[in-house]
Amino acid sequence: MIPPHWHDNTPTSEQRVFNGLKNDPLTADWTVLHSLNLRQSGNRPYGEVDFVVLIPAAGVFCLEVKGGRVACKDGIWTTTDALGVTHTLKRSPFAQGQVGMHELRKALESKLGRPADFYQVPFGFAVVFTDIDAPPRDIGTEPWEVIDRSDLHTGIAAHLLRAAKHQRVRYRLHGSPAQPQPDLMRAIRDALRPDFERIVAR
């Protein structure tokens, strides 16, 4: 988990996903980045992905987390928090997740110098509803792109592994060995959130 602990202002919904990923035995060799900022894209000043999950030999997934009550009327999505305050979303959670995934992939493609192995990595996204059953899916959403409260009880890691298999089939990725392998995993991790130390010049 990078960082190893959540920030004090982290919503309860994200804390639950954080713990679910951190404590699942299946994630022992995974790398999970929490609250990853993305640089400016189009007319948006910045973007953020709630979780980026790097799964060895399986893929890279962006998770969009929504807690509380969720509703959609006439195409407008809203969430209602524990205090009863309703917030209108600028776009659907699925559009948020998909946009974040594409922006992340584009940034990595440029930063890593477009290595051949990179194009064998399945990228995907999922929307996590921590407090409700999955809402009705629209025609552009696949079943594995939704994780609800029931899935969290049975294990988010197993769901993501199934989703990675579907993404590999979806994009007809048949390379061997399956990517990302350790070197590419490390390169992706370092590109997204590098460790560093700067010494004060004397």
Side-chain angles (χ1 to χ4, degrees):
M1 305 300 294
I2 304 174
H5 307 285
W6 64 69
H7 191 273
D8 290 343
N9 295 327
T10 298
T12 303
S13 56
E14 291 184 27
Q15 293 180 24
R16 290 179 60 190
V17 174
F18 188 104
N19 284 336
L21 289 166
K22 180 178 181 179
N23 298 323
D24 195 313
L26 293 175
T27 66
D29 60 349
W30 295 18
T31 299
V32 180
L33 294 85
H34 179 218
S35 191
L36 182 75
N37 290 325
L38 299 172
R39 63 187 177 190
Q40 181 173 348
S41 176
N43 59 3
R44 301 188 342 159
Y46 64 89
E48 183 186 67
V49 179
D50 292 332
F51 292 90
V52 177
V53 185
L54 313 181
I55 311 174
V60 176
F61 274 80
C62 296
L63 304 184
E64 177 69 25
V65 180
K66 295 299 177 190
R69 191 165 78 244
V70 177
C72 180
K73 184 174 182 180
D74 297 330
I76 304 300
W77 285 74
T78 59
T79 61
T80 303
D81 61 26
L83 299 176
V85 179
T86 297
H87 308 271
T88 300
L89 305 182
K90 293 182 179 179
R91 64 180 80 189
S92 82
F94 298 97
Q96 286 180 281
Q98 189 176 66
V99 167
M101 176 195 71
H102 287 306
E103 290 182 354
L104 178 78
R105 188 180 188 279
K106 183 178 179 181
L108 283 171
E109 183 181 45
S110 174
K111 193 152 189 174
L112 296 178
R114 297 173 173 81
D117 290 348
F118 178 79
Y119 297 100
Q120 292 296 314
V121 177
F123 278 75
F125 75 93
V127 179
V128 185
F129 298 100
T130 57
D131 302 307
I132 62 170
D133 294 330
R137 291 186 294 107
D138 61 34
I139 59 173
T141 305
E142 298 290 353
W144 62 85
E145 293 170 341
V146 184
I147 299 173
D148 65 10
R149 62 179 178 178
S150 299
D151 296 316
L152 291 179
H153 289 315
T154 57
I156 189 172
H159 184 98
L160 289 175
L161 287 170
R162 289 193 298 270
K165 290 181 180 178
H166 284 295
Q167 288 296 90
R168 191 170 297 279
V169 172
R170 185 188 213 180
Y171 291 112
R172 299 179 176 87
L173 299 175
H174 306 298
S176 181
Q179 295 292 342
Q181 288 295 302
D183 287 348
L184 185 54
M185 278 273 294
R186 193 174 305 109
I188 292 174
R189 184 265 195 215
D190 290 344
L192 295 177
R193 194 164 274 171
D195 292 330
F196 68 91
E197 181 179 8
R198 291 288 186 265
I199 304 300
V200 177
R202 299 291 182 183

